[in-house]
Structures are given as C-alpha cells and as structure tokens.
Amino acid sequence: MGFSGKKVLVTGASRGIGYATAAAFLKAGAQVAVNARTQSSVDAAMASLGGNTVSAPGDISKADVCQSMVTEAVDALGGLDVLVTNAGVFFRGTMEETDEAAWDYVLDANLKGLFFCSRAALPALKASKGNIVHVASESGLNGYAETTAYCASKGAVVNLTRSMAMELAPDVRVNCVCPGAVETDMARTAFAINGDEDAGLARQRSQYPVGRIGTPEEIAKAIVYLASEDAGFINAAALPMEGGATAGG
Ligand SMILES: NC(=O)c1ccc[n+]([C@@H]2O[C@H](COP(=O)([O-])OP(=O)(O)OC[C@H]3O[C@@H](n4cnc5c(N)ncnc54)[C@H](O)[C@@H]3O)[C@@H](O)[C@H]2O)c1
C-alpha cells in the first residue's frame, strides 16, 4: 500500500484517530496536510508527527472555513489524492437536553463540515482520480439512547457516503469506516459514568466480544487500506469496526 508521492488531507488530525491516520499515511510514504481547529494544535501535531507534513488549520464546522482550509491544503500539497474527513465531536444528552445549540454543535462538525470539506476537495480529487474516506461510527449503523444528535449525524454520513459514491463514480471513490468505541479523548469523556472516565472505559471494554475496545492505529490502518489502490473495487462501503459488538443482535 505505497503512498509515495501521494497527497493526503486529514481533518481533525491533532489527536486520536486523526493523528494516528496522519501517522499511518506518513509511514506509507504520503505527504500529509494536518488539519485541526487552531494553528497551535496543528503545529504541535506536526512537530510530533515529524516528516512530510503541511499545515491546514481551521474550524471545519463552518462551510467558508472548509473551503479556505481545503484550498490552502491543496495549494501547499500541490494537489490532493486522498481526503480523510475525520474531525468530529460528541454530545451526550436526552432529547430534552439536546437544544438547538447542542444539535448545531454536533451536526455542523460531523455532517456539514464533512460535506463542505468534501465539496471543496472535488476539483483536486477529480483531477487525481483520488478518493475520500469518511470517519462515521457504529452509531451511524445502530441507534442509541441519549445520543440522538450524534447518531443522526453519523447515520447521515453513512448514507452520504453512498450518495457521494454514486455521484462521483467512476472518478472518485467514497467509503467510510464505522468504529465502535476507540481509545481516544472522545471516548474517555463520551462513556464516563457519573464523571468517572476509567469506569466508563472499563465498562465499554467488558461489553465487546473481543474483550477490549479499538485502538486509533487499527482504525487508521483500515482508512489507509480503503484509500489505497488495493481497495480499488471497494466503493460506497461502510466498514463496521467494532469487534463483533453488534453481531449478536
Ligand atoms: N473514539 C471513539 O470511540 C469513536 C468511535 C466512532 C467514531 N469516532 C469518530 O472518529 C472521529 C475522531 O474521533 P476521536 O475519537 O479521535 O476524537 P478526539 O476528540 O480525540 O479527536 C477529534 C479531532 O477532531 C478535531 N476537531 C473537532 N472538531 C473540529 C472542528 N470543528 N474543526 C477542526 N477539527 C475539529 C479535534 O481537534 C481533534 O483533533 C470523530 O469523527 C468521531 O466521531 C470516534
């Protein structure tokens, strides 16, 4: 899965799954544009990643920022072969607790930003016959209580993947990964039980048939595979990565 000479933009690459994905593409030989909300977090990630990176800061929850950030990244890279739309946020609350601000916070980052980053990348991706990998979630394949906005956003990403793949074929493939719980900052807070993050993660680990939750590196490897030429016949796919957690019904 050589990516030598390939140009990749990863949104939300300052930590967690996005950081691991940037590292995995660098290891495979790609040049990587690193996005996160602030210049300082991009700088810190680039310093830690080392190697062949360029800076692409910007809050992707705003459509105009998606356009300017992607343009900046494509200019700095000199083109684009792969877009990974990983940046995302989580909100836990009942429907009564999910006010307009909470709804917009989740949907603007997880769905609107993902769409407008993709839209901004289309000229470069059509030119390179590149591809897109969205980071959806297992919460986009099944419904869960007290996460209605998050589940709605990720379910929309799964079907957006299919719709984009139909529209952009044969030039640009579009796939998504659907992770269950993964060891990141987001998971620590998302699954906390009465504020106890360690207890929350322990409960998550016990609920997975494989006896643990996922690692950012495992998700990153799947993203790199889906973006590679080896996955050339995989299009419009939503890949569950949840250790079999939902297989038993
Ligand atoms: N961790 C999990 O259990 C899990 C499971 C399924 C799906 N996911 C998804 O994986 C993706 C990455 O999650 P993570 O667990 O690594 O989370 P994280 O909170 O550790 O990292 C999220 C990254 O996205 C960035 N980001 C958030 N909002 C942004 C914005 N508006 N503009 C630019 N950057 C922004 C953050 O700065 C950070 O770099 C998210 O889309 C999340 O929904 C995570």
Side-chain angles (χ1 to χ4, degrees), residues 118-139:
S118 303
R119 183 174 179 266
L122 285 184
L125 289 175
K126 285 182 176 178
S128 67
K129 300 212 182 304
N131 69 85
I132 298 173
V133 183
H134 297 310
V135 179
S137 170
E138 195 271 309
S139 295

Side-chain angles (χ1 to χ4, degrees), residues 12 14-15 17 37 59-60 86 135-136 150 154 179-180 182 184:
S14 65
R15 61 173 192 253
I17 294 169
R37 269 172 288 216
D59 179 350
I60 59 86
N86 163 78
V135 179
Y150 186 78
K154 296 299 187 178
V182 180
T184 69

Side-chain angles (χ1 to χ4, degrees), residues 93-127:
T94 62
M95 287 179 66
E96 288 86 347
E97 290 162 346
T98 305
D99 60 13
E100 186 176 3
W103 180 267
D104 288 347
Y105 168 69
V106 175
L107 272 290
D108 285 358
N110 294 6
L111 182 59
K112 189 175 84 174
L114 176 147
F115 176 82
F116 281 100
C117 285
S118 303
R119 183 174 179 266
L122 285 184
L125 289 175
K126 285 182 176 178

Side-chain angles (χ1 to χ4, degrees), residues 10-20 35-38 41 45 56-62 65 69 85-90 105 108-110 113-114 117 134-140 150 153-154 177-191 201 204 208 213-214 216 219 223 241:
V10 182
T11 67
S14 65
R15 61 173 192 253
I17 294 169
Y19 180 90
N35 164 261
R37 269 172 288 216
T38 64
S41 53
D59 179 350
I60 59 86
S61 67
K62 298 176 172 62
V65 177
M69 183 278 290
T85 56
N86 163 78
V89 297
F90 183 84
Y105 168 69
D108 285 358
N110 294 6
L114 176 147
C117 285
H134 297 310
V135 179
S137 170
E138 195 271 309
S139 295
Y150 186 78
S153 73
K154 296 299 187 178
V177 291
C178 300
V182 180
E183 303 269 3
T184 69
D185 290 354
M186 178 184 286
R188 287 196 71 78
T189 52
F191 301 120
L201 283 180
Q204 285 296 313
Y208 280 73
I213 62 176
I219 312 305
I223 292 169
M241 301 186 70

Side-chain angles (χ1 to χ4, degrees), residues 12-13 17 32 42 48 52 60 67 83 98 103 118 151 156 160 177 179 181 208 211-212 222-224:
I17 294 169
V32 177
V42 169
S48 171
N52 203 3
I60 59 86
Q67 182 65 51
L83 170 67
T98 305
W103 180 267
S118 303
C151 288
L160 182 63
V177 291
Y208 280 73
R212 64 176 181 85
I223 292 169
V224 171

